[in-house]
Amino acid sequence: MNEVTNLLMDHRSVRNFEDRALSEEQIETIVLSAQGASTSSFVQAYSIIGLTDKAKKAKLAEFAGNQNYVAENGHFFVFCADLHRHEVMGQMENINVIPSIESTEKFMVAVIDAALAAQNAAVAAESLGLGICYIGGIRNNLEGVAELLKTPDRVIPLFGLAVGYPSKKNDKKPRLPLQHIYHENEYKQDETAYREELKMYNKIISEYYAERTGGKRNDTWTGQIAGMLEKQTRMYMKDFVQKKKMDLR
Amino acid sequence: MNEVTNLLMDHRSVRNFEDRALSEEQIETIVLSAQGASTSSFVQAYSIIGLTDKAKKAKLAEFAGNQNYVAENGHFFVFCADLHRHEVMGQMENINVIPSIESTEKFMVAVIDAALAAQNAAVAAESLGLGICYIGGIRNNLEGVAELLKTPDRVIPLFGLAVGYPSKKNDKKPRLPLQHIYHENEYKQDETAYREELKMYNKIISEYYAERTGGKRNDTWTGQIAGMLEKQTRMYMKDFVQKKKMDLR
């Protein structure tokens, strides 16, 4: 353990920011940190769009289900899987890269590249004393987001990252027990033990919510998440991704 | 800038490790750091498999195209997108989560969750003075990997992370110019400027390779990457992912 791992383990989402913009230097440090992340075979298959335009931020907040911290923060980044760049370089080099960049494999590469970069950005921001919140809510309406941000084909906006000076910090949410997500040498398939672990974790989460709400909230983790997954949300995603010419083959 | 952002910007892959295993404490610190990352709506849709079994590591190295640092390192982690957990919790709660977890949306969620966790693991390892290398090569043969690691349906091994005490460090590879991956308020679509930026970057990369190889290697970035993308690799991925009941609808 050291200061860095303490920072990584102490993460909590921040959804309340002071009305104070990040400096150009902070933004540059965050983006350069993002770029420092590993990238699959050096493809650098992502882009970042930073938003300062208030009308656009308000529109994004609306798309994301009226989450006001999408509009009100120190800076808002959108991380995109990006293979448009690779289409252009294919044209420049007169090489046919199309079947390759339309594959599920390269779609995964681009999503992973963007996520690795984003997590470096998040860690950089937190190391600067800022708070962050990932905003998957922009995927509620990617047609709208793509139009707003003018992203071309082969670019998928994946999520936002709201960054700013925290005015309120959430409590740290207990994660699954380490042994439940970490397997040694092979994926454990003892269903009885597996369910027992989930039940034990349910108790931890119930206590966490009860404590935070003075006993009003009594969720379990499996109940909360299964309930959420019962609703079929963003089922247009396959069509959208394929319309953008990714994950096609 | 601070020590953390310096660490993030100073990343380079390590492919040569001392013959020295990580301690249990180091592994725990790395996994707990991974778990500290954000997770979409608290779904925690990933798993990590840590490998100590030498025969399994040798087999994985073979799958990954005979990269010996897959077998020879301080520890080897495999990060998996995991929605098996969510199928189980649906059964526990008697809630039908299947259409949801078979969607492209939830496939993306699981891939992103795993990547965010992995990048925290990578940063944690580097902060401990260790070196890391992501191993996308395990995707050369995911049928083999899934069988070796006994991963069930709805689990996709995405990449490995080799960690260990560096015996040799690579040079830091120059990234794309910040303004090429970072857009303000909307995705810049000036194709002429875009190509000029790529050509400028090509010069930087050519100089980098020339310097490292005493003038022997003279790649450009667009030439190198377009050449790689001309080869259609891992085109079985769509079938594999869908056989594992993800990204289906």
Side-chain angles (χ1 to χ4, degrees):
Chain A
M1 306 259 290
N2 57 41
E3 274 182 46
V4 177
T5 59
N6 285 342
L7 179 80
L8 298 172
M9 290 183 206
D10 197 45
H11 160 73
R12 58 216 54 204
S13 293
V14 170
R15 294 189 176 84
N16 300 275
F17 299 102
E18 291 176 17
D19 183 17
R20 185 175 163 197
L22 265 60
S23 68
E24 285 300 318
E25 194 196 336
Q26 285 172 318
I27 294 168
E28 187 179 299
T29 299
I30 290 168
V31 175
L32 289 174
S33 296
Q35 291 194 270
S38 296
T39 159
S40 174
S41 302
F42 203 29
V43 292
Q44 305 181 76
Y46 66 95
S47 285
I48 307 169
I49 302 172
L51 286 148
T52 50
D53 183 301
K54 287 200 175 176
K56 285 203 179 191
K57 286 174 81 168
K59 195 75 193 162
L60 264 189
E62 194 187 311
F63 289 146
N66 294 309
Q67 300 179 41
N68 64 341
Y69 42 95
V70 173
E72 291 158 23
N73 48 53
H75 201 67
F76 195 82
F77 298 93
V78 176
F79 284 81
C80 307
D82 188 342
L83 293 166
H84 167 68
R85 181 174 295 128
H86 305 81
E87 181 178 9
V88 172
M89 79 177 69
Q91 292 161 356
M92 286 169 71
E93 300 289 339
N94 204 18
I95 286 176
N96 181 15
V97 300
I98 301 302
S100 189
I101 65 177
E102 290 183 346
S103 66
T104 295
E105 158 69 12
K106 290 301 180 294
F107 172 59
M108 288 165 67
V109 160
V111 172
I112 292 166
D113 260 25
L116 300 183
Q119 187 55 18
N120 259 18
V123 172
E126 290 186 338
S127 80
L128 296 169
L130 302 166
I132 65 111
C133 188
Y134 278 92
I135 311 290
I138 68 162
R139 291 198 306 279
N140 290 348
N141 182 350
L142 279 188
E143 285 286 2
V145 171
E147 197 180 327
L148 187 72
L149 304 183
K150 300 191 178 158
T151 51
D153 281 354
R154 311 195 198 278
V155 174
I156 311 281
L158 294 175
F159 46 78
L161 188 71
V163 181
Y165 292 89
S167 61
K168 196 183 126 196
K169 267 195 162 187
N170 287 338
D171 292 329
K172 198 175 131 185
K173 265 189 194 164
R175 299 309 204 232
L176 280 164
L178 183 145
Q179 67 274 19
H180 194 77
I181 72 122
Y182 183 68
H183 305 256
E184 270 184 46
N185 288 314
E186 60 187 50
Y187 197 100
K188 290 182 295 278
Q189 295 231 40
D190 177 342
E191 284 292 311
T192 313
Y194 194 86
R195 287 175 186 228
E196 280 311 311
E197 282 170 13
L198 287 173
K199 284 178 198 166
M200 272 167 46
Y201 182 54
N202 275 342
K203 281 187 196 156
I204 294 167
I205 291 297
S206 293
E207 281 165 22
Y208 168 80
Y209 283 125
E211 203 168 295
R212 285 179 82 209
T213 60
K216 275 183 211 148
R217 189 167 168 182
N218 190 25
D219 286 18
T220 63
W221 186 65
T222 58
Q224 176 193 341
I225 302 296
M228 182 188 77
L229 293 173
E230 186 176 24
K231 298 182 201 88
Q232 296 174 36
T233 57
R234 305 175 190 159
M235 298 301 282
Y236 75 96
M237 194 58 70
K238 182 174 251 341
D239 284 346
F240 178 81
V241 168
Q242 295 193 335
K243 198 178 136 195
K244 291 293 179 184
K245 302 182 187 170
M246 286 164 91
D247 194 21
L248 279 168
R249 43 181 126 190
Chain B
M1 306 257 290
N2 57 39
E3 274 183 44
V4 178
T5 59
N6 285 343
L7 179 80
L8 299 172
M9 291 183 204
D10 197 45
H11 160 73
R12 61 220 46 208
S13 293
V14 170
R15 294 189 177 83
N16 299 275
F17 298 102
E18 291 175 17
D19 182 16
R20 186 175 163 197
L22 265 60
S23 68
E24 286 300 317
E25 194 196 335
Q26 285 172 319
I27 295 168
E28 186 179 299
T29 299
I30 290 168
V31 176
L32 289 174
S33 296
Q35 291 194 268
S38 296
T39 159
S40 173
S41 303
F42 203 30
V43 291
Q44 306 182 77
Y46 66 96
S47 285
I48 307 170
I49 303 172
L51 286 147
T52 50
D53 183 301
K54 287 200 175 176
K56 285 204 179 189
K57 286 174 81 169
K59 195 73 193 166
L60 264 188
E62 194 187 312
F63 288 147
N66 293 309
Q67 299 179 42
N68 64 340
Y69 42 95
V70 173
E72 291 159 23
N73 48 54
H75 201 68
F76 195 82
F77 298 93
V78 176
F79 284 81
C80 308
D82 189 340
L83 293 166
H84 167 67
R85 181 174 294 128
H86 305 80
E87 181 179 8
V88 173
M89 78 177 71
Q91 292 162 355
M92 286 169 70
E93 300 289 340
N94 205 17
I95 287 176
N96 181 15
V97 301
I98 302 301
S100 188
I101 65 179
E102 290 183 345
S103 65
T104 295
E105 158 69 12
K106 291 301 179 294
F107 173 59
M108 289 164 67
V109 160
V111 172
I112 293 166
D113 260 24
L116 300 184
Q119 187 55 18
N120 259 18
V123 172
E126 290 186 337
S127 81
L128 296 169
L130 302 165
I132 65 110
C133 188
Y134 279 91
I135 311 290
I138 68 163
R139 292 198 306 278
N140 289 348
N141 182 351
L142 279 188
E143 287 284 2
V145 171
E147 197 180 327
L148 187 73
L149 305 183
K150 300 191 179 158
T151 51
D153 281 354
R154 312 197 197 276
V155 174
I156 311 282
L158 294 175
F159 46 76
L161 187 72
V163 180
Y165 292 89
S167 60
K168 197 184 126 194
K169 268 196 162 187
N170 288 338
D171 292 330
K172 197 175 130 184
K173 265 189 194 164
R175 300 307 204 234
L176 281 164
L178 183 145
Q179 67 275 20
H180 194 76
I181 72 123
Y182 184 68
H183 305 254
E184 272 184 44
N185 288 314
E186 61 187 49
Y187 198 101
K188 290 183 296 278
Q189 296 231 41
D190 178 343
E191 285 291 312
T192 313
Y194 193 87
R195 287 175 185 227
E196 280 311 310
E197 282 170 12
L198 287 173
K199 284 178 197 165
M200 273 168 45
Y201 182 55
N202 275 342
K203 281 188 196 154
I204 294 167
I205 291 297
S206 294
E207 280 165 23
Y208 167 81
Y209 283 125
E211 203 167 295
R212 285 179 83 209
T213 59
K216 275 181 211 148
R217 189 168 167 182
N218 190 25
D219 286 18
T220 63
W221 186 66
T222 58
Q224 176 192 341
I225 302 296
M228 183 188 76
L229 292 174
E230 185 177 25
K231 297 181 202 88
Q232 296 174 35
T233 57
R234 305 175 189 159
M235 299 300 282
Y236 76 96
M237 195 57 71
K238 183 175 247 352
D239 284 346
F240 178 81
V241 168
Q242 295 192 334
K243 200 178 133 194
K244 292 292 179 184
K245 303 183 186 169
M246 286 165 90
D247 194 21
L248 279 168
R249 44 182 124 190

